[in-house]
Amino acid sequence: MTSPVLTLTTDFGQADPYLAIMKGTILSIHPQVQLVDISHEIEPQDVAQAAFVIGTSYRYFPKGTVHLIVVDPGVGSHRRPIALATPEAYFVAPDNGLLSYILAEAGANPPPGAQAWAGERMPSLYLWALPQPLQAITLNNPRFWRQPLSATFHGRDIFAPVAAHLSKGTPLNELGEPIPSLLAFPPPRPEVMPDGSLLGHIVHVDHFGNLISDVTEDDLKSTKLTVEAGERHIEGLSRSYSEGGELLAIIGSSGRLEIAASNGSAAQALQLGKGDTIIVRTRKSY
Amino acid sequence: MTSPVLTLTTDFGQADPYLAIMKGTILSIHPQVQLVDISHEIEPQDVAQAAFVIGTSYRYFPKGTVHLIVVDPGVGSHRRPIALATPEAYFVAPDNGLLSYILAEAGANPPPGAQAWAGERMPSLYLWALPQPLQAITLNNPRFWRQPLSATFHGRDIFAPVAAHLSKGTPLNELGEPIPSLLAFPPPRPEVMPDGSLLGHIVHVDHFGNLISDVTEDDLKSTKLTVEAGERHIEGLSRSYSEGGELLAIIGSSGRLEIAASNGSAAQALQLGKGDTIIVRTRKSY
Amino acid sequence: MTSPVLTLTTDFGQADPYLAIMKGTILSIHPQVQLVDISHEIEPQDVAQAAFVIGTSYRYFPKGTVHLIVVDPGVGSHRRPIALATPEAYFVAPDNGLLSYILAEAGANPPPGAQAWAGERMPSLYLWALPQPLQAITLNNPRFWRQPLSATFHGRDIFAPVAAHLSKGTPLNELGEPIPSLLAFPPPRPEVMPDGSLLGHIVHVDHFGNLISDVTEDDLKSTKLTVEAGERHIEGLSRSYSEGGELLAIIGSSGRLEIAASNGSAAQALQLGKGDTIIVRTRKSY
């Protein structure tokens, strides 16, 4: 089955030739594919940020879309090139944690004792066993690679050609050998404190300066809450960005608690960023 | 009639997942559509800048192109989601002034007494009646929305799906109810001063630092003119950027008077920006 | 023969309407073409950088791809608009050196005595005679231009429409008259010093801060070498970015010697940039 859509997520920026070289390589194999950029402004080598971005985006694409993700600090070392098939989509990437949110959402679990990522630059990776119906392979069939293989640009030489062949309908098992587990980090989760409050983490700061946390709608027992962020206390949940005071707490479009500023950047107003923490207290009602 | 081309203009930047989420939503409904980015570097919530950018671009696209514009500071409040059909194109956007240049060019008029925008961040909006053959609807048919509807991302939940359905051939009147008027601001226009000179406004500063004004070729009675910009006087009109001295005045590609620097940024050289004014004097010939 | 792929390389940035205006113009002529952005972050008017970027990218695209390159400081002056056909691809651009790397790779030669570019902003241009089978034309058939022709935006009025017609299958010789030579600069090359060492030039600094030189793999007689860059000496060639110390020398993906930093930007660590020099010494083995 061919896939008309192939997305790209990288830390390449758009000033250099690298992204275009991958696109040209893909189109040389599958000229009819529709290429969609997810983001190329991932911070250089920031696997966790790329994992968040693809983890938040993929579910909105057509079933069977091929997602190519290349943030690859270990290129040329022993990290494996892999592909993952889920019921929704295909993913082609280095095996370095880029698919962590996707695995978690697809029902895979970290091994016992694994520490959740808490906003540091480089999360600790663990081998996650893949439950049915997930299938993964290591990309070890050089017939589908560009030759000669470089040690510096597997995006061009392995990942792009394999993604193009997948989107053209080549079956997964021709591209490499099955593997039972992938490296991933447990996505960040808020901690329940002894006093019942939640200690949440900022996992992303968006273009508007909104601070997006790991606290989800389901984690909140009440909308009567106080969020402590930086030195400020924000009372209650707003329903829209244009409502409420200068700073507001809101459930954002991906179902996560966000701190926003109605006329500007909450990140700037609060001097908070990725990895910082917030405290969410449910207000007692007497 | 299906439209092969759908353009996107937003203030989302390209680092976050938001733009990709809209594109995935569109492709899930209409996989064959050709997506074209107009700009995603509109300053956050700068409706006037987005109105200028789409107003300058749309006429170069194929007839029937669907233009999706999402700069939406009022998401979740009472502003209406709308679509507009002109003889040239379709536009899908919040009803907050984004289509002002398009309405003005299509022959609609502001109500008497409306103040033209003069470069401030937030222009004042007025209800403009739509003349024939313009048609507008409010997007109030939830059958074409993504469910559940969020209060924070109508780009994903209303505008993207409606634009995709329009490009796929769904008739306008199935997507919502007709409305007779839209909110818009009168585009900036130069003022004629008592001494006969023109007081123009800088409406856009481009990537090269060119200062683009609201003075059009038709406003100039002679090419024998002096432009006063900052503390500098520029004599005469140049025909090309590579002609003339350090600073030059020129009719740019959209028919507007621009101040340019032949080897650099006029904005930097003059320390001028959006909303600043220039004076254009036709030289007397004795 | 129609070409499904048309690439764009400009110094327009992506905030202004200019790029979208060219894309709309192309799609109005050839709606089925697949548009691919190579880069729009070329520094304003930096012909040499654009020449490097397209020269490094084009060979990865499908045979017959049309490459449109618009970095055009001389727009409206006497520089010629041109198209070049090679066995691999078509190129549409102003005749100002943008195709220098492509000509050099296709076997054309600069006239005797021409000085190689050595990293300055504006390289000196020379007329290069075109060997078989290269074919060039000057775009002097106004039937394929947008009318009225402006003096400020030939990207919209000449280059985009001609590129669209080429991709749609219009034969080269209908678009203009054959010309025997094009303006180009000799791409930078390392100099052999009296002591046998190589004096190389930094020709590009990429998004990761890697310093890419004009020294190629073939220029090196041994991997036992020392690279002197800034005030640092780097011993030996690394095989991958994750190997070696803080700073490393490596043959990058385009076959050029690069200086990289394993955890950051070599450009920042060494305070070096485009036009700076490095010295490569092959170590004597006693």
Side-chain angles (χ1 to χ4, degrees):
Chain A
M1 197 190 70
T2 67
S3 162
V5 180
L6 193 160
T7 80
L8 300 102
T9 305
T10 74
D11 59 352
F12 294 175
Q14 304 212 42
D16 293 314
Y18 306 133
L19 178 61
I21 287 172
M22 292 213 308
K23 289 183 178 176
T25 301
I26 292 165
L27 292 169
S28 296
I29 293 166
H30 190 188
Q32 281 76 39
V33 78
Q34 165 117 261
L35 298 173
V36 179
D37 294 310
I38 289 192
S39 177
H40 304 292
E41 296 177 30
I42 305 297
E43 288 295 311
Q45 313 188 343
D46 193 337
V47 165
Q49 188 192 356
F52 178 82
V53 167
I54 186 67
T56 311
S57 311
Y58 80 94
R59 74 180 63 83
Y60 298 97
F61 282 85
K63 198 176 148 85
T65 291
V66 176
H67 300 282
L68 171 58
I69 310 118
V70 185
V71 177
D72 195 11
V75 61
S77 71
H78 291 301
R79 69 97 192 85
R80 297 180 298 188
I82 53 151
L84 171 70
T86 73
E88 291 84 28
Y90 296 96
F91 301 88
V92 178
D95 185 26
N96 63 9
L98 287 169
L99 308 184
S100 297
Y101 290 87
I102 289 146
L103 289 178
E105 217 174 278
N109 283 299
Q115 288 275 314
W117 177 59
E120 317 83 13
R121 179 65 182 268
M122 282 295 172
S124 300
L125 299 178
Y126 303 89
L127 270 176
W128 294 37
L130 301 178
Q132 284 293 335
L134 305 190
Q135 287 183 286
I137 56 168
T138 178
L139 305 174
N140 63 357
N141 186 346
R143 191 158 73 83
F144 294 96
W145 302 351
R146 191 175 173 278
Q147 298 295 347
L149 177 68
S150 74
T152 53
F153 196 3
H154 288 183
R156 174 191 69 191
D157 300 340
I158 299 180
F159 299 117
V162 163
H165 282 290
L166 258 182
S167 76
K168 212 178 163 183
T170 303
L172 196 68
N173 61 22
E174 289 190 22
L175 298 163
E177 279 171 27
I179 50 176
S181 55
L182 294 178
L183 284 170
F185 58 86
R189 291 290 300 137
E191 296 160 48
V192 182
M193 306 302 284
D195 67 355
S197 65
L198 288 175
L199 182 77
H201 308 88
I202 305 301
V203 294
H204 187 70
V205 180
D206 76 11
H207 179 66
F208 299 98
N210 297 327
L211 299 160
I212 300 170
S213 79
D214 59 355
V215 178
T216 66
E217 200 164 6
D218 293 344
D219 294 326
L220 301 175
K221 283 165 201 141
S222 162
T223 60
K224 290 191 178 163
L225 49 77
T226 303
V227 179
E228 300 178 20
E231 309 204 330
R232 300 286 294 273
H233 288 215
I234 302 163
E235 303 290 332
L237 267 187
S238 294
R239 222 190 69 88
S240 79
Y241 292 118
S242 52
E243 178 184 295
E246 179 216 346
L247 281 171
L248 50 92
I250 191 168
I251 299 296
S253 59
S254 62
R256 293 162 176 277
L257 182 69
E258 294 180 14
I259 315 295
S262 32
N263 288 305
S265 161
Q268 210 161 21
L270 294 169
Q271 291 292 308
L272 292 181
K274 215 162 47 165
D276 286 329
T277 53
I278 58 173
I279 294 171
V280 184
R281 296 186 197 280
T282 307
R283 274 179 280 170
K284 293 198 187 81
S285 32
Y286 296 96
Chain B
M1 195 191 70
T2 66
S3 164
V5 180
L6 193 160
T7 81
L8 301 101
T9 305
T10 73
D11 60 352
F12 294 175
Q14 304 211 42
D16 292 314
Y18 306 133
L19 178 61
I21 287 172
M22 292 213 308
K23 290 183 177 177
T25 301
I26 292 165
L27 292 169
S28 296
I29 293 167
H30 189 188
Q32 281 77 40
V33 78
Q34 165 117 258
L35 297 174
V36 179
D37 294 311
I38 289 191
S39 176
H40 303 293
E41 296 177 29
I42 305 297
E43 288 294 311
Q45 313 188 343
D46 192 338
V47 165
Q49 187 192 356
F52 178 81
V53 166
I54 186 67
T56 312
S57 311
Y58 80 95
R59 75 179 64 83
Y60 298 96
F61 282 85
K63 197 176 147 85
T65 291
V66 176
H67 299 283
L68 170 58
I69 310 118
V70 185
V71 177
D72 195 10
V75 60
S77 70
H78 291 300
R79 68 98 191 86
R80 296 180 298 188
I82 53 152
L84 171 70
T86 73
E88 290 84 29
Y90 297 95
F91 301 88
V92 178
D95 185 27
N96 62 8
L98 287 169
L99 307 184
S100 297
Y101 289 88
I102 289 147
L103 288 178
E105 219 175 274
N109 284 298
Q115 289 276 313
W117 177 58
E120 317 84 13
R121 179 64 182 267
M122 281 295 173
S124 299
L125 299 178
Y126 303 90
L127 269 177
W128 295 36
L130 300 178
Q132 284 292 337
L134 305 190
Q135 287 184 285
I137 57 168
T138 178
L139 305 175
N140 63 356
N141 185 346
R143 191 158 71 85
F144 294 96
W145 302 351
R146 189 174 176 280
Q147 298 295 348
L149 177 68
S150 75
T152 54
F153 196 2
H154 287 184
R156 175 191 69 189
D157 299 340
I158 298 180
F159 299 117
V162 163
H165 282 290
L166 258 181
S167 76
K168 212 177 162 182
T170 304
L172 196 67
N173 60 22
E174 290 190 21
L175 299 162
E177 277 170 28
I179 50 177
S181 55
L182 294 178
L183 285 170
F185 58 86
R189 290 290 301 139
E191 296 160 47
V192 182
M193 306 302 284
D195 67 355
S197 64
L198 288 176
L199 182 77
H201 309 88
I202 305 301
V203 294
H204 187 69
V205 180
D206 76 11
H207 179 67
F208 299 98
N210 298 327
L211 299 161
I212 300 170
S213 79
D214 58 356
V215 179
T216 66
E217 200 164 6
D218 295 343
D219 293 328
L220 300 175
K221 284 165 199 139
S222 163
T223 61
K224 290 189 177 164
L225 49 77
T226 302
V227 180
E228 299 178 20
E231 309 203 329
R232 300 288 292 274
H233 287 216
I234 302 163
E235 302 291 331
L237 267 188
S238 295
R239 221 188 70 87
S240 80
Y241 292 118
S242 53
E243 179 185 295
E246 180 215 346
L247 280 172
L248 50 93
I250 191 168
I251 300 297
S253 59
S254 62
R256 293 162 177 277
L257 183 70
E258 294 178 16
I259 316 294
S262 31
N263 290 304
S265 161
Q268 210 161 20
L270 293 169
Q271 291 291 310
L272 291 180
K274 216 163 44 166
D276 287 330
T277 53
I278 59 174
I279 294 170
V280 184
R281 294 185 198 281
T282 308
R283 274 179 279 169
K284 292 199 187 76
S285 33
Y286 294 98
Chain C
M1 195 190 71
T2 66
S3 163
V5 179
L6 193 160
T7 80
L8 301 102
T9 305
T10 74
D11 60 352
F12 294 175
Q14 304 211 43
D16 294 314
Y18 306 133
L19 178 61
I21 287 172
M22 292 213 307
K23 290 183 178 178
T25 301
I26 291 165
L27 292 170
S28 295
I29 293 167
H30 189 187
Q32 282 76 39
V33 77
Q34 165 119 256
L35 297 173
V36 179
D37 295 310
I38 290 192
S39 178
H40 304 291
E41 296 177 30
I42 305 296
E43 288 295 311
Q45 313 187 344
D46 192 338
V47 166
Q49 189 192 355
F52 178 82
V53 166
I54 186 67
T56 311
S57 310
Y58 80 95
R59 74 179 65 83
Y60 299 97
F61 282 85
K63 199 175 147 85
T65 291
V66 176
H67 299 283
L68 170 59
I69 310 118
V70 186
V71 177
D72 195 10
V75 61
S77 71
H78 292 300
R79 68 99 191 85
R80 298 179 297 188
I82 53 152
L84 171 71
T86 73
E88 290 84 28
Y90 296 95
F91 301 89
V92 179
D95 185 25
N96 63 8
L98 287 169
L99 308 184
S100 297
Y101 290 87
I102 288 147
L103 289 178
E105 218 174 277
N109 284 298
Q115 289 275 314
W117 176 60
E120 317 84 14
R121 179 64 183 268
M122 282 295 172
S124 300
L125 299 178
Y126 304 89
L127 269 175
W128 295 36
L130 300 178
Q132 283 293 335
L134 304 189
Q135 287 183 286
I137 57 168
T138 178
L139 305 175
N140 63 357
N141 186 346
R143 191 157 71 83
F144 294 96
W145 302 352
R146 191 174 174 279
Q147 298 295 348
L149 177 68
S150 74
T152 53
F153 197 2
H154 288 184
R156 175 191 67 191
D157 300 340
I158 299 181
F159 299 118
V162 163
H165 283 290
L166 258 182
S167 76
K168 212 178 163 182
T170 304
L172 196 67
N173 60 21
E174 290 190 20
L175 298 163
E177 279 170 26
I179 49 176
S181 55
L182 294 178
L183 285 169
F185 58 86
R189 291 289 300 137
E191 297 159 46
V192 182
M193 306 303 282
D195 67 355
S197 65
L198 289 175
L199 182 76
H201 308 88
I202 305 301
V203 295
H204 187 70
V205 180
D206 77 10
H207 179 67
F208 299 98
N210 298 327
L211 299 161
I212 300 170
S213 79
D214 58 355
V215 179
T216 67
E217 199 165 7
D218 295 343
D219 294 326
L220 300 175
K221 283 166 199 137
S222 163
T223 60
K224 289 188 178 165
L225 49 76
T226 303
V227 179
E228 299 178 20
E231 309 202 329
R232 300 288 293 275
H233 288 216
I234 302 163
E235 303 290 331
L237 268 188
S238 294
R239 221 189 71 87
S240 80
Y241 294 118
S242 52
E243 177 186 296
E246 179 215 347
L247 280 171
L248 50 93
I250 191 168
I251 300 296
S253 59
S254 62
R256 294 162 176 277
L257 183 69
E258 294 179 15
I259 316 293
S262 32
N263 289 305
S265 160
Q268 210 162 20
L270 294 168
Q271 290 292 308
L272 291 180
K274 216 163 44 165
D276 287 328
T277 53
I278 58 173
I279 294 170
V280 183
R281 296 185 198 281
T282 307
R283 274 178 279 169
K284 293 200 185 78
S285 33
Y286 295 96

